[in-house]
Amino acid sequence: LVEPGCQTHTMTLVAAIVSVFALLADGSPTFVAKLCRGGICPDPRFPIMDYVEEEGKCTCRKHPCWSDSSLTHSCPGADAPYLHFKYDANKTLSCQCRPDPQHDTPHVARDKCAGHFCASADFPILDWSPEENKCFCRKHPCLEENNLRHECDDPARPILHFAFATMLDNIGGEVEVPMCHCLQKPEEPASKGLRGAAEQEPKVCNRYT
């Protein structure tokens, strides 16, 4: 079962010599995408698939900069329309507007890699390697797929997101490949109500393995 606010997506791919069964996790650093395989966050008000380590569960989160103490950040300028977040070594949040979308998650940026930020357009995604116990900046997986460059030309869906599919090949082995899709820009949730009650985040998703 899946709690409200999150969805699962199951895909079957059929080729001439192989049938595959894929479970998707929406665009996040690959560390979180693999932990949350099977969950997606289609609601633009809660666009970030994240992992709650203490509970071993996944959740769809609001952008951290939409609830920065008493501040609500936004990026109305066309030259830098995407709101980015980062955490310093003391796990203090800071926000800025940048020209390209961000694909980081609070769990990696705050819990694993506080003090790190990826500013390079070629390696924009902050990720965590549990095998090497270190943080690193990686390319967007959809820009590495078979040397093909995926683009999102529809202004209504300008953000290139990725998911990982675990596939069975024709000899029974598992292969992970990125699945690329275009999504709309995240939308700031409705403002606080008359009594000042902040909108709650969706409940966590069940974790899939």
Side-chain angles (χ1 to χ4, degrees):
L1 297 178
V2 182
E3 299 288 350
C6 301
Q7 296 182 6
T8 58
H9 189 101
T10 303
M11 178 180 294
T12 302
L13 302 177
V14 180
I17 59 174
V18 59
S19 295
V20 295
F21 176 73
L23 289 176
L24 306 184
D26 203 31
S28 308
T30 60
F31 173 66
V32 169
K34 292 174 182 179
L35 290 173
C36 299
R37 188 183 291 115
I40 62 173
C41 296
D43 189 337
R45 301 172 301 164
F46 304 95
I48 301 176
M49 173 66 72
D50 204 13
Y51 183 68
V52 184
E53 189 169 34
E54 298 80 5
E55 301 177 13
K57 295 181 179 180
C58 301
T59 186
C60 295
R61 293 193 186 277
K62 294 187 294 186
H63 196 293
C65 296
W66 292 341
S67 301
D68 180 16
S69 298
S70 60
L71 300 176
T72 299
H73 302 269
S74 62
C75 296
D79 57 335
Y82 296 103
L83 184 60
H84 282 233
F85 64 89
K86 62 180 179 179
Y87 295 88
D88 65 19
N90 296 319
K91 299 187 178 182
T92 300
L93 174 68
S94 62
C95 305
Q96 62 180 145
C97 297
R98 295 180 63 86
D100 300 311
Q102 183 180 31
H103 301 280
D104 298 345
T105 70
H107 177 54
V108 170
R110 180 189 61 225
D111 303 332
K112 297 294 187 181
C113 300
H116 296 264
F117 183 74
C118 298
S120 169
D122 294 325
F123 297 88
I125 300 175
L126 180 61
D127 211 350
W128 168 255
S129 171
E131 295 80 12
E132 301 180 71
N133 196 39
K134 71 175 185 179
C135 306
F136 66 102
C137 296
R138 71 177 312 132
K139 290 183 179 180
H140 194 300
C142 293
L143 302 183
E144 297 178 328
E145 186 189 17
N146 299 322
N147 295 319
L148 297 177
R149 183 177 183 86
H150 298 263
E151 296 182 346
C152 296
D153 298 324
D154 184 354
R157 295 181 176 272
I159 299 178
L160 180 61
H161 272 230
F162 63 91
F164 277 93
T166 301
M167 300 181 176
L168 298 179
D169 61 23
N170 59 339
I171 59 174
E174 290 190 351
V175 179
E176 284 193 339
V177 297
M179 306 293 290
C180 307
H181 54 289
C182 298
L183 295 180
Q184 65 189 96
K185 184 179 177 182
E187 299 175 356
E188 181 184 345
S191 60
K192 296 180 179 180
L194 295 177
R195 296 186 179 182
E199 184 174 344
Q200 295 182 348
E201 293 188 1
K203 296 181 180 180
V204 295
C205 299
N206 289 345
R207 181 183 173 187
Y208 288 82
T209 57

